[in-house]
Amino acid sequence: MLIAGVGGFVGTCCRYLIGRWMAVAFHGVFPVGTFLVNILGCFVIGLCFGLIEKANLLSSNESLLLVTGFCGGFTTFSTFANEIFTLGSRGEWLVSVLYLVASLAIGLFLVWCGRALIR
């Protein structure tokens, strides 16, 4: 738990710093900071799983630190994208599409619900 917590702390701090940096650097409607951490998180989790599956170069503690901790703190989108990729790789296309659509639709609906509760 401590290993994942340390990774999560670092990931969260990086997400915050990148978000602040992008907010200063780019002014507009497009959420550049969030987009950047999401695509970077996808790349990092892809690298980690590649190192685990193909080359067996990460120990379970390193995986816990980087995948669960860092990527979990940095962005959950990376895990989401990896799960969709994994389902598709297994030929579970229907489940993959349902997961994608349901996650986006329900996620957007719950964002609306949360905002509606605060108003």
Side-chain angles (χ1 to χ4, degrees), residues 13-23 32-34 36-37 40 74:
C13 290
C14 289
R15 178 178 63 210
Y16 173 79
L17 292 172
I18 289 172
R20 298 296 299 158
W21 178 44
M22 292 294 107
V32 177
T34 302
L36 184 58
V37 297
L40 288 174
F74 192 59

PDB file of all heavy atoms in Angstrom, residues 13-23 32-34 36-37 40 74:
ATOM      1  N   CYS A  13       0.979  14.832  -7.977  1.00  0.00           N
ATOM      2  CA  CYS A  13       1.750  16.083  -8.011  1.00  0.00           C
ATOM      3  C   CYS A  13       2.121  16.458  -9.444  1.00  0.00           C
ATOM      4  O   CYS A  13       2.022  17.630  -9.832  1.00  0.00           O
ATOM      5  CB  CYS A  13       3.010  15.961  -7.159  1.00  0.00           C
ATOM      6  SG  CYS A  13       2.680  15.878  -5.395  1.00  0.00           S
ATOM      7  N   CYS A  14       2.507  15.469 -10.234  1.00  0.00           N
ATOM      8  CA  CYS A  14       2.833  15.734 -11.641  1.00  0.00           C
ATOM      9  C   CYS A  14       1.605  16.221 -12.402  1.00  0.00           C
ATOM     10  O   CYS A  14       1.698  17.155 -13.195  1.00  0.00           O
ATOM     11  CB  CYS A  14       3.403  14.485 -12.306  1.00  0.00           C
ATOM     12  SG  CYS A  14       5.057  14.039 -11.760  1.00  0.00           S
ATOM     13  N   ARG A  15       0.465  15.584 -12.147  1.00  0.00           N
ATOM     14  CA  ARG A  15      -0.771  16.005 -12.814  1.00  0.00           C
ATOM     15  C   ARG A  15      -1.088  17.451 -12.458  1.00  0.00           C
ATOM     16  O   ARG A  15      -1.434  18.262 -13.320  1.00  0.00           O
ATOM     17  CB  ARG A  15      -1.933  15.097 -12.428  1.00  0.00           C
ATOM     18  CG  ARG A  15      -3.243  15.533 -13.079  1.00  0.00           C
ATOM     19  CD  ARG A  15      -4.397  14.615 -12.756  1.00  0.00           C
ATOM     20  NE  ARG A  15      -4.676  14.617 -11.338  1.00  0.00           N
ATOM     21  CZ  ARG A  15      -5.173  13.592 -10.666  1.00  0.00           C
ATOM     22  NH1 ARG A  15      -5.428  12.468 -11.281  1.00  0.00           N
ATOM     23  NH2 ARG A  15      -5.413  13.686  -9.390  1.00  0.00           N
ATOM     24  N   TYR A  16      -0.963  17.795 -11.207  1.00  0.00           N
ATOM     25  CA  TYR A  16      -1.235  19.161 -10.763  1.00  0.00           C
ATOM     26  C   TYR A  16      -0.284  20.157 -11.436  1.00  0.00           C
ATOM     27  O   TYR A  16      -0.728  21.189 -11.956  1.00  0.00           O
ATOM     28  CB  TYR A  16      -1.110  19.255  -9.241  1.00  0.00           C
ATOM     29  CG  TYR A  16      -1.205  20.667  -8.743  1.00  0.00           C
ATOM     30  CD1 TYR A  16      -2.442  21.292  -8.629  1.00  0.00           C
ATOM     31  CD2 TYR A  16      -0.066  21.390  -8.407  1.00  0.00           C
ATOM     32  CE1 TYR A  16      -2.538  22.604  -8.189  1.00  0.00           C
ATOM     33  CE2 TYR A  16      -0.151  22.696  -7.966  1.00  0.00           C
ATOM     34  CZ  TYR A  16      -1.387  23.305  -7.855  1.00  0.00           C
ATOM     35  OH  TYR A  16      -1.470  24.604  -7.428  1.00  0.00           O
ATOM     36  N   LEU A  17       0.998  19.844 -11.422  1.00  0.00           N
ATOM     37  CA  LEU A  17       1.979  20.770 -11.998  1.00  0.00           C
ATOM     38  C   LEU A  17       1.792  20.946 -13.503  1.00  0.00           C
ATOM     39  O   LEU A  17       1.875  22.067 -14.016  1.00  0.00           O
ATOM     40  CB  LEU A  17       3.402  20.287 -11.690  1.00  0.00           C
ATOM     41  CG  LEU A  17       3.800  20.361 -10.219  1.00  0.00           C
ATOM     42  CD1 LEU A  17       5.151  19.689  -9.996  1.00  0.00           C
ATOM     43  CD2 LEU A  17       3.825  21.806  -9.723  1.00  0.00           C
ATOM     44  N   ILE A  18       1.540  19.867 -14.203  1.00  0.00           N
ATOM     45  CA  ILE A  18       1.304  19.963 -15.652  1.00  0.00           C
ATOM     46  C   ILE A  18       0.029  20.758 -15.921  1.00  0.00           C
ATOM     47  O   ILE A  18      -0.009  21.597 -16.822  1.00  0.00           O
ATOM     48  CB  ILE A  18       1.253  18.568 -16.302  1.00  0.00           C
ATOM     49  CG1 ILE A  18       2.657  17.963 -16.315  1.00  0.00           C
ATOM     50  CG2 ILE A  18       0.675  18.633 -17.719  1.00  0.00           C
ATOM     51  CD1 ILE A  18       2.717  16.515 -16.752  1.00  0.00           C
ATOM     52  N   GLY A  19      -1.010  20.510 -15.139  1.00  0.00           N
ATOM     53  CA  GLY A  19      -2.257  21.261 -15.293  1.00  0.00           C
ATOM     54  C   GLY A  19      -2.057  22.753 -15.097  1.00  0.00           C
ATOM     55  O   GLY A  19      -2.566  23.574 -15.868  1.00  0.00           O
ATOM     56  N   ARG A  20      -1.315  23.125 -14.074  1.00  0.00           N
ATOM     57  CA  ARG A  20      -1.033  24.542 -13.815  1.00  0.00           C
ATOM     58  C   ARG A  20      -0.191  25.149 -14.935  1.00  0.00           C
ATOM     59  O   ARG A  20      -0.443  26.263 -15.381  1.00  0.00           O
ATOM     60  CB  ARG A  20      -0.319  24.727 -12.473  1.00  0.00           C
ATOM     61  CG  ARG A  20      -1.110  24.276 -11.263  1.00  0.00           C
ATOM     62  CD  ARG A  20      -2.363  25.037 -11.022  1.00  0.00           C
ATOM     63  NE  ARG A  20      -2.049  26.430 -10.806  1.00  0.00           N
ATOM     64  CZ  ARG A  20      -2.890  27.425 -10.979  1.00  0.00           C
ATOM     65  NH1 ARG A  20      -4.119  27.177 -11.354  1.00  0.00           N
ATOM     66  NH2 ARG A  20      -2.531  28.668 -10.757  1.00  0.00           N
ATOM     67  N   TRP A  21       0.820  24.417 -15.369  1.00  0.00           N
ATOM     68  CA  TRP A  21       1.706  24.885 -16.427  1.00  0.00           C
ATOM     69  C   TRP A  21       0.921  25.108 -17.722  1.00  0.00           C
ATOM     70  O   TRP A  21       1.076  26.137 -18.390  1.00  0.00           O
ATOM     71  CB  TRP A  21       2.822  23.865 -16.622  1.00  0.00           C
ATOM     72  CG  TRP A  21       3.792  24.182 -17.725  1.00  0.00           C
ATOM     73  CD1 TRP A  21       4.364  25.396 -18.002  1.00  0.00           C
ATOM     74  CD2 TRP A  21       4.297  23.270 -18.699  1.00  0.00           C
ATOM     75  NE1 TRP A  21       5.201  25.285 -19.082  1.00  0.00           N
ATOM     76  CE2 TRP A  21       5.177  23.991 -19.528  1.00  0.00           C
ATOM     77  CE3 TRP A  21       4.103  21.914 -18.932  1.00  0.00           C
ATOM     78  CZ2 TRP A  21       5.856  23.392 -20.578  1.00  0.00           C
ATOM     79  CZ3 TRP A  21       4.786  21.328 -19.985  1.00  0.00           C
ATOM     80  CH2 TRP A  21       5.644  22.068 -20.789  1.00  0.00           C
ATOM     81  N   MET A  22       0.056  24.181 -18.067  1.00  0.00           N
ATOM     82  CA  MET A  22      -0.742  24.306 -19.290  1.00  0.00           C
ATOM     83  C   MET A  22      -1.770  25.437 -19.174  1.00  0.00           C
ATOM     84  O   MET A  22      -2.055  26.113 -20.158  1.00  0.00           O
ATOM     85  CB  MET A  22      -1.457  22.990 -19.612  1.00  0.00           C
ATOM     86  CG  MET A  22      -0.535  21.860 -20.024  1.00  0.00           C
ATOM     87  SD  MET A  22       0.285  22.179 -21.606  1.00  0.00           S
ATOM     88  CE  MET A  22       1.944  22.523 -21.077  1.00  0.00           C
ATOM     89  N   ALA A  23      -2.315  25.652 -17.977  1.00  0.00           N
ATOM     90  CA  ALA A  23      -3.279  26.733 -17.784  1.00  0.00           C
ATOM     91  C   ALA A  23      -2.629  28.093 -18.017  1.00  0.00           C
ATOM     92  O   ALA A  23      -3.263  29.018 -18.530  1.00  0.00           O
ATOM     93  CB  ALA A  23      -3.878  26.668 -16.377  1.00  0.00           C
ATOM     94  N   VAL A  32      -6.275  21.522 -22.306  1.00  0.00           N
ATOM     95  CA  VAL A  32      -4.953  21.046 -22.714  1.00  0.00           C
ATOM     96  C   VAL A  32      -4.262  20.256 -21.605  1.00  0.00           C
ATOM     97  O   VAL A  32      -3.673  19.204 -21.854  1.00  0.00           O
ATOM     98  CB  VAL A  32      -4.060  22.221 -23.181  1.00  0.00           C
ATOM     99  CG1 VAL A  32      -2.665  21.753 -23.531  1.00  0.00           C
ATOM    100  CG2 VAL A  32      -4.694  22.940 -24.350  1.00  0.00           C
ATOM    101  N   GLY A  33      -4.338  20.748 -20.376  1.00  0.00           N
ATOM    102  CA  GLY A  33      -3.675  20.065 -19.265  1.00  0.00           C
ATOM    103  C   GLY A  33      -4.197  18.662 -19.065  1.00  0.00           C
ATOM    104  O   GLY A  33      -3.423  17.700 -18.964  1.00  0.00           O
ATOM    105  N   THR A  34      -5.502  18.524 -19.003  1.00  0.00           N
ATOM    106  CA  THR A  34      -6.118  17.208 -18.818  1.00  0.00           C
ATOM    107  C   THR A  34      -5.820  16.310 -20.004  1.00  0.00           C
ATOM    108  O   THR A  34      -5.478  15.131 -19.836  1.00  0.00           O
ATOM    109  CB  THR A  34      -7.635  17.344 -18.628  1.00  0.00           C
ATOM    110  OG1 THR A  34      -7.878  18.179 -17.506  1.00  0.00           O
ATOM    111  CG2 THR A  34      -8.290  16.001 -18.414  1.00  0.00           C
ATOM    112  N   LEU A  36      -3.298  16.457 -22.011  1.00  0.00           N
ATOM    113  CA  LEU A  36      -1.882  16.095 -21.988  1.00  0.00           C
ATOM    114  C   LEU A  36      -1.602  14.994 -20.965  1.00  0.00           C
ATOM    115  O   LEU A  36      -0.922  14.014 -21.277  1.00  0.00           O
ATOM    116  CB  LEU A  36      -1.018  17.321 -21.713  1.00  0.00           C
ATOM    117  CG  LEU A  36       0.487  17.118 -21.749  1.00  0.00           C
ATOM    118  CD1 LEU A  36       0.936  16.583 -23.103  1.00  0.00           C
ATOM    119  CD2 LEU A  36       1.202  18.422 -21.438  1.00  0.00           C
ATOM    120  N   VAL A  37      -2.129  15.124 -19.739  1.00  0.00           N
ATOM    121  CA  VAL A  37      -1.868  14.076 -18.755  1.00  0.00           C
ATOM    122  C   VAL A  37      -2.528  12.762 -19.166  1.00  0.00           C
ATOM    123  O   VAL A  37      -1.971  11.688 -18.919  1.00  0.00           O
ATOM    124  CB  VAL A  37      -2.258  14.470 -17.310  1.00  0.00           C
ATOM    125  CG1 VAL A  37      -1.435  15.640 -16.823  1.00  0.00           C
ATOM    126  CG2 VAL A  37      -3.719  14.727 -17.150  1.00  0.00           C
ATOM    127  N   LEU A  40      -0.321  11.271 -21.975  1.00  0.00           N
ATOM    128  CA  LEU A  40       0.953  10.850 -21.385  1.00  0.00           C
ATOM    129  C   LEU A  40       0.753   9.629 -20.496  1.00  0.00           C
ATOM    130  O   LEU A  40       1.563   8.699 -20.506  1.00  0.00           O
ATOM    131  CB  LEU A  40       1.587  11.988 -20.581  1.00  0.00           C
ATOM    132  CG  LEU A  40       2.173  13.138 -21.379  1.00  0.00           C
ATOM    133  CD1 LEU A  40       2.625  14.253 -20.445  1.00  0.00           C
ATOM    134  CD2 LEU A  40       3.332  12.659 -22.237  1.00  0.00           C
ATOM    135  N   PHE A  74      -1.765   9.903 -11.592  1.00  0.00           N
ATOM    136  CA  PHE A  74      -1.591  10.819 -12.710  1.00  0.00           C
ATOM    137  C   PHE A  74      -2.869  10.922 -13.517  1.00  0.00           C
ATOM    138  O   PHE A  74      -3.308  11.998 -13.868  1.00  0.00           O
ATOM    139  CB  PHE A  74      -0.422  10.335 -13.576  1.00  0.00           C
ATOM    140  CG  PHE A  74       0.064  11.314 -14.600  1.00  0.00           C
ATOM    141  CD1 PHE A  74       0.535  12.562 -14.231  1.00  0.00           C
ATOM    142  CD2 PHE A  74       0.079  10.976 -15.939  1.00  0.00           C
ATOM    143  CE1 PHE A  74       0.999  13.463 -15.178  1.00  0.00           C
ATOM    144  CE2 PHE A  74       0.545  11.866 -16.891  1.00  0.00           C
ATOM    145  CZ  PHE A  74       1.011  13.108 -16.507  1.00  0.00           C
TER     146      PHE A  74
END
